[in-house]
Amino acid sequence: MVNLVINNIAVTVPEGTTILDAAKKCHIDIPNLCYLEGLNEIGACRVCVVEVEGVERLVTSCNNTVEEGMVIYTNSPKVRNARRNNVELILSQHDATCTTCVRSGNCSLQTIANDLNIIESPFKLEMPHARWTEGFPLVRDYEKCIKCMRCIQVCDHVQSLKVWDVANTGSRTNVDVSHNRRIEESDCALCGQCITHCPVGALRERDDTDKVFEALADKDKVTIVQIAPAVRAAWGEGLGLSREFATVERLAAALRRVGFDYIFDTNFTADLTIMEEGSEFLERLKNADNETFPMFTSCCPGWIRFIKTQYPDMVDQLSTAKSPQQMFGAITKSYYAKLLNVDPSKIFSVSIMPCTAKKYEAGVPVLSDAGAGQDVDVVLTTREVERLIRSEHITVKYLEEEPLDTPLGIGSGAAVIFGATGGVMEAALRSAYFLVTGENPAPDAFKDVRGRKGWKEASFDIAGTTLKVAVASGLGNTRRLIEAIRRGEVEYHFVEIMACPGGCAGGGGQPIWDGKELAEERAEVLYGLDQISNLRFSHENPSITKVYEEFFGSPLSHKSHELLHTDHHAWELDPTKK
């Protein structure tokens, strides 16, 4: 243990503790911009500097450790002047028109500048300029970049794709797409982790709220919205609502006031995905001699982009089942259009997703099987829905809960946990067990695939057959798992992959809390909803039974293959091509 004094407070911390963490122990906050624990500890921004008695130069607190007897001042005049000067220099190369920035009110630079009482900058404003690809689902604003390097570190070390890099030298140094490429030429998975780890508004999703407002104002359009499982665990965060209050039923009430005609639950097609994907897996097992294992899940478009660019020879091992989002879009413009007795071309299908890659997926040309344009017209992230609600001046805290519409608003607890890493696997195994044995397992029989660990594996016995399964979240973990499979070090029958660490709960479209990772906390909400659900098996969802009886016939039927499955080889990777 090391003894030191911080701002006249005696502190004892373990050897090797950084000054930043030692200060936190006594509830002293040291502002910082570039720091990400265990990932970006480079002291680039110089905002976290402190004064150490007996040391002439100021010291960065994020990457310097404590020493016995240290006396530290975190906000002395010398520190305050240097910190202010450093922030003013950053602002001299930053577009500070906060009123038109998507991160206004949730920006670390804005907060620090306000705390330092910076009301004017003494330096000449010189911002970098560069052209970005119009229409790409991920948007980069070069004039807002503060060169903190977070996006580089997250993409390199967590997602292993190395999309970003430092460009140019000296005063012209900036962050740009690596290898002098355009973003559409890169291997970007569109996971959005660079967005959620950016401390300012230099990275964001393409905003599609105007398209939704335009459709809502069109009297000839039937507007239908689906809400993804992970959204219900996070949508209220930016509105200051507790998780207990911000239920999916209260979100439904808000969306009705926005003007949507029908509000449904993606959980419905998550259950449908289990029926199709689970049946497909069992068919592959029956024909094991002619199949290559493992079969991979196909719910995550970030993962689809990853395997197509990194391991294209393994694309055939993907399940052919579409994601719940795309199944929902196809059903909306076919089965549900018939129920409503409306022309499918009049339906405007919107999905609310915790994901930026879903914007790409909805625009993939081949995902238009219902024959009325793209099956999903617009994807809004959780953050965009918050902006949608705010722009309509809806005060959610006064809204009562309202049920989702039927029949596409009914989902099981198995569907809810799709939003957590391991949830798709667990839901699939629950129904696979039933499809093989004719009996339900204990609902939590497969909970070994739960948890925060980035790569999990388990074995389960189903009617005398041992199934080896694995779950990975985060593309760096995914790469390690696939490389182990290719080297023959591990063997699995079924593997679930989610591009974002923690699964959709930690998706690139979720609310941003700088320096905090909330995927696990949000996942607990989803598992809690599963526990209290009256339906915990996808195959017991009465709306699923009905849609097969009235429309599809059975899983893997000709019609289900037509509307609910896809050829991933045909997916165009450049979303700007039409």
Side-chain angles (χ1 to χ4, degrees), residues 176 249 304 337 384 417 549:
D176 207 341
E249 290 82 9
I304 303 298
E384 284 174 286
I417 61 175
E549 288 176 351

Side-chain angles (χ1 to χ4, degrees), residues 200-215:
V200 294
L203 289 159
R204 62 175 174 85
E205 72 273 46
R206 183 189 67 219
D207 188 283
D208 291 319
T209 55
D210 283 347
K211 295 177 184 176
V212 174
F213 279 126
E214 185 180 333

Side-chain angles (χ1 to χ4, degrees), residues 98-112:
C98 299
T99 53
T100 55
C101 179
V102 73
R103 290 289 295 275
S104 184
N106 183 20
C107 168
S108 296
L109 177 60
Q110 186 183 50
T111 299
I112 290 169

